[in-house]
Amino acid sequence: MINPFTDDYFMKKALQEAEMAFEKGEIPVGAVVVVNNTIIARSHNLTEMLNDVTAHAEMQSITAAANYLGGKYLKDCTLYVTLEPCQMCAGALYWSQISKIVFGARDEQRGFLSMGTKLHPKTTVVSGIMADEASDLMKRFFASRRK
Ligand SMILES: [Zn+2]
């Protein structure tokens, strides 16, 4: 049997979250946290609605996943996020000791890779999963705002 729980499968769920942010007029970034092929947290950017610059999708997912697990460390968890995390989120992910981060599109200007932010040594990173879909969503969002 083919395993249906691929990186693409979970990234599609994160993209659905990003679409929800888009519909609310938020910069469209979505995230899910997965453990044992089960989604334990899902979130999207809410910085406008909450009037809070820390309300990035990743920050909310870290909190929700820790609440679900009943412990602050996200060991054996994978975060799927549509856009490369910023340095704030990478810093929070460092503290969570998350096992794996899978992100979609690069953020050349404000992503943690360009900023030189370090992740936890136990954390592995996969990039470029459904990157075109994630960046198309961002482009559509900013094009719609310019009108
Ligand atoms: Zn962030």
Side-chain angles (χ1 to χ4, degrees):
M1 203 185 94
I2 298 163
N3 178 14
F5 300 117
T6 59
D7 282 345
D8 277 23
Y9 174 87
F10 289 114
M11 189 58 83
K12 272 180 200 152
K13 304 291 181 190
L15 280 162
Q16 286 170 7
E17 287 291 324
E19 293 272 4
M20 288 168 72
F22 188 107
E23 283 161 21
K24 291 175 182 171
E26 301 278 357
I27 292 174
V29 181
V32 298
V33 176
V34 176
V35 61
N36 296 329
N37 292 329
T38 304
I39 295 173
I40 62 165
R42 53 179 84 221
S43 59
H44 51 267
N45 178 39
L46 286 174
T47 51
E48 296 298 324
M49 183 186 283
L50 298 178
N51 200 26
D52 182 356
V53 294
T54 71
H56 287 185
E58 301 96 310
M59 302 295 278
Q60 297 175 64
S61 262
I62 290 166
T63 303
N67 286 341
Y68 177 92
L69 294 168
K72 60 183 182 284
Y73 296 122
L74 303 185
K75 287 171 184 167
D76 307 316
C77 292
T78 301
L79 173 85
Y80 290 85
V81 59
T82 56
L83 185 69
E84 179 187 339
C86 71
Q87 55 183 342
M88 170 182 71
C89 293
L93 289 160
Y94 175 98
W95 291 114
S96 79
Q97 301 187 12
I98 196 159
S99 296
K100 189 176 171 188
I101 298 168
V102 180
F103 72 82
R106 280 291 310 272
D107 184 348
E108 302 281 353
Q109 286 184 343
R110 287 182 281 195
F112 77 96
L113 294 172
S114 306
M115 292 284 192
T117 315
K118 281 191 182 131
L119 296 172
H120 197 276
K122 288 176 189 162
T123 305
T124 58
V125 179
V126 176
S127 63
I129 301 297
M130 303 193 72
D132 290 346
E133 287 81 351
S135 67
D136 283 354
L137 196 58
M138 294 287 276
K139 280 176 199 151
R140 268 201 288 136
F141 179 78
F142 288 109
S144 72
R145 281 194 139 187
R146 278 194 292 271
K147 277 175 199 159

